[in-house]
Amino acid sequence: MKHLVYADGSINGENNMEQKDLLDILHTAERLKDTTRHSYTSGGRHESVAEHSWRLSLMAFLIKDEYPGLDMDKVIKMCLIHDLGEAFTGDIPAFIKTDSDVRREEMLLSSWVESLPEKLSAEMHSLYSEMDALETDEAKLYKSLDKLEALIQHNEADISTWSDNEYELNFIYGAENCRFSEYTEKFRAVVNEECREKIRREKAQ
């Protein structure tokens, strides 16, 4: 009987994901399909955290050729897992999230990650640590895209769904993060112009 040898040297599934473990993880992640965010979709309903994470990951994939020196597989992984903590706490908008909220989310997420299969747990802990530190280019790119995706979604939502503070907040939110690279800074300028045009159309009505 032939055995598959994986890149890490394991044989035929040794040290890899058990099917039951995989199913349990997917059940937890499914909560994000029902966890809504502050913004609305263009169709007029609250977007889910899962939808935000999906399009964020798609953004990273679409621009991978703009960053040939980066580990874009890692960036995509960061995008996929970045909001898993909200499966335990729900989403709290950035402009009202407190340090206590952050600590609680980190504690619950860390506890869950610790319960995962050892190899996966180690990789996820490493990714979260890198994301929190925001010292590597991969983490900085992920964070800038995270901010940009939120701004794009606000532009797509009906302006009647905006809170009063977002008329100004949308122009400063994530500005520092998007200075990471020329590409993200230029992309943010395009997103901001779309926002200005949306506000101009509202005032013209």
Side-chain angles (χ1 to χ4, degrees):
M1 178 179 177
K2 292 185 177 180
H3 294 280
L4 292 174
V5 178
Y6 294 89
D8 65 357
S10 60
I11 299 174
N12 210 31
E14 290 178 2
N15 301 318
N16 285 281
M17 181 73 67
E18 293 287 340
Q19 288 85 353
K20 180 61 168 63
D21 291 333
L22 174 59
L23 187 59
D24 288 343
I25 293 167
L26 293 176
H27 285 329
T28 298
E30 192 269 345
R31 299 175 193 172
L32 295 183
K33 292 186 178 184
D34 282 328
T35 302
T36 55
R37 284 168 57 86
H38 171 65
S39 189
Y40 286 74
T41 68
S42 57
R45 61 170 176 79
H46 272 295
E47 68 162 336
S48 72
V49 177
E51 290 167 325
H52 162 68
S53 297
W54 162 74
R55 190 162 67 167
L56 175 57
S57 304
L58 179 62
M59 288 171 66
F61 170 74
L62 292 173
I63 64 168
K64 59 185 176 62
D65 291 340
E66 301 295 332
Y67 298 91
L70 270 62
D71 183 347
M72 292 303 290
D73 284 343
K74 178 185 282 189
V75 175
I76 293 170
K77 288 178 182 178
M78 290 177 173
C79 295
L80 283 169
I81 71 170
H82 81 290
D83 270 345
L84 277 172
E86 294 182 5
F88 309 101
T89 65
D91 176 74
I92 303 173
F95 55 84
I96 63 172
K97 199 168 193 175
T98 66
D99 289 344
S100 177
D101 293 327
V102 171
R103 287 193 298 272
R104 179 171 179 268
E105 182 177 325
E106 289 177 348
M107 178 189 69
L108 293 170
L109 176 62
S110 180
S111 178
W112 179 67
V113 172
E114 285 288 344
S115 74
L116 300 178
E118 183 176 355
K119 185 178 178 182
L120 176 62
S121 178
E123 180 180 13
M124 290 182 69
H125 269 307
S126 177
L127 286 168
Y128 283 123
S129 294
E130 186 172 341
M131 292 154 71
D132 288 342
L134 274 181
E135 293 176 349
T136 66
D137 285 346
E138 285 79 8
K140 291 175 182 177
L141 177 58
Y142 134 71
K143 180 59 77 172
S144 65
L145 296 180
D146 183 31
K147 303 296 187 181
L148 284 164
E149 202 287 327
L151 293 173
I152 293 167
Q153 189 61 59
H154 275 83
N155 285 348
E156 291 167 338
D158 191 286
I159 204 164
S160 66
T161 67
W162 290 15
S163 57
D164 291 341
N165 67 333
E166 286 173 324
Y167 285 83
E168 294 183 5
L169 180 63
N170 288 353
F171 292 107
I172 60 175
Y173 182 72
E176 184 64 34
N177 299 107
C178 290
R179 293 191 185 102
F180 158 71
S181 72
E182 182 180 6
Y183 189 91
T184 51
E185 196 160 31
K186 286 183 176 179
F187 189 31
R188 191 177 188 281
V190 172
V191 173
N192 280 352
E193 181 53 37
E194 185 178 64
C195 185
R196 291 188 186 93
E197 179 58 31
K198 189 178 187 75
I199 294 171
R200 282 196 291 264
R201 287 198 303 269
E202 183 205 29
K203 290 180 177 179
Q205 291 177 355

